[in-house]
């Protein structure tokens, strides 16, 4: 895309020192699956007057990762103009206004919380269902009566029912 738009100076922001060092040729790429990518980067860099890599910690790069994932799922329309994406930061999430409370309904995490607290499965649970509950329970943490979900970046998300949300 940058080549199609006749860009001469390229700044690439990456959240991995390893990828930067390999792309700059400072470190060898040993993984057989990555060697063609390394060669492709080298070939593409010849189209630019200058190519600079800049390290950005993953914490500050989450939005870019989400946008890159979305972009990889959409077909690129060739040389057509793509409008810039406008992002607004709101004080409150939109989905907070959409929660409807249903009375006498167990929250979605009820079976996981019960398993962590008492090591008991639902009475109607079969083998696959029990295995799934055990697997899911590994990424949750119970502190008193409050259930938290562990995220890959070691944060804890508090699980709430519809009424509390």
């Amino acid at each position: 895309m940058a080549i199609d738009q006749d860009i001469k100076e390229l700044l690439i922001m990456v959240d991995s020192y390893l990828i930067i060092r390999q792309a700059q040729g400072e470190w060898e790429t040993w993984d057989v699956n990555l060697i063609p990518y390394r060669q492709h980067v080298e070939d593409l860099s010849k189209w630019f007057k200058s190519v600079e890599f800049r390290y950005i910690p993953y914490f500050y790069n989450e939005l870019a990762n989400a946008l890159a994932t979305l972009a990889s799922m959409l077909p690129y329309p060739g040389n057509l103009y793509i409008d810039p994406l406008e992002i607004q930061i709101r004080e409150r999430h939109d989905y907070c206004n959409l929660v409807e409370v249903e009375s006498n309904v167990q929250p979605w995490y009820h079976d996981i919380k019960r398993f962590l607290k008492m090591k008991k499965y639902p009475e109607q649970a079969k083998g696959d269902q029990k295995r799934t509950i055990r697997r899911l329970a590994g990424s949750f943490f119970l502190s008193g009566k409050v259930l938290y979900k562990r995220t890959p970046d070691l944060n804890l998300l508090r699980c709430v029912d519809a009424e509390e949300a």
Side-chain angles (χ1 to χ4, degrees), residues 31-90:
D31 187 341
V32 176
N33 296 326
L34 295 179
I35 291 174
Y37 291 107
R38 164 70 181 99
Q39 185 61 45
H40 189 65
V41 169
E42 193 174 294
D43 294 342
L44 287 175
S45 65
K46 294 174 185 173
W47 286 86
F48 300 99
K49 182 176 154 185
S50 71
V51 177
E52 179 187 344
F53 290 91
R54 188 172 297 161
Y55 173 74
I56 297 189
Y58 178 80
F59 176 77
Y60 297 109
N61 205 23
E62 288 182 31
L63 179 60
N65 287 339
L67 292 174
T69 301
L70 286 173
S72 70
M73 292 189 276
L74 301 173
Y76 175 60
N79 58 1
L80 298 177
Y81 177 76
I82 301 173
D83 289 327
L85 182 64
E86 182 179 326
I87 299 173
Q88 297 178 355
I89 299 174
R90 305 282 181 162

Side-chain angles (χ1 to χ4, degrees), residues 53-163:
F53 290 91
R54 188 172 297 161
Y55 173 74
I56 297 189
Y58 178 80
F59 176 77
Y60 297 109
N61 205 23
E62 288 182 31
L63 179 60
N65 287 339
L67 292 174
T69 301
L70 286 173
S72 70
M73 292 189 276
L74 301 173
Y76 175 60
N79 58 1
L80 298 177
Y81 177 76
I82 301 173
D83 289 327
L85 182 64
E86 182 179 326
I87 299 173
Q88 297 178 355
I89 299 174
R90 305 282 181 162
E91 290 182 25
R92 182 178 166 141
H93 297 289
D94 284 338
Y95 61 80
C96 291
N97 299 324
L98 301 175
V99 175
E100 295 179 19
V101 178
E102 296 179 26
S103 60
N104 298 328
V105 176
Q106 297 291 350
W108 62 268
Y109 55 83
H110 173 74
D111 293 336
I112 297 169
K113 187 174 181 179
R114 181 177 179 209
F115 178 77
L116 288 172
K117 187 184 269 186
M118 299 181 286
K119 299 291 184 212
K120 290 185 180 178
Y121 299 102
E123 292 177 17
Q124 73 280 7
K126 304 265 189 281
D128 286 348
Q129 294 166 331
K130 291 179 180 180
R131 192 170 30 258
T132 301
I133 291 172
R134 278 194 313 271
R135 182 179 53 79
L136 288 172
S139 62
F140 286 84
F141 169 74
L142 189 60
S143 176
K145 293 182 178 181
V146 181
L147 184 67
Y148 295 94
K149 172 146 180 44
R150 292 183 188 100
T151 64
D153 55 352
L154 303 178
N155 286 322
L156 295 175
L157 301 175
R158 183 175 179 193
C159 299
V160 296
D161 58 15
E163 190 173 308

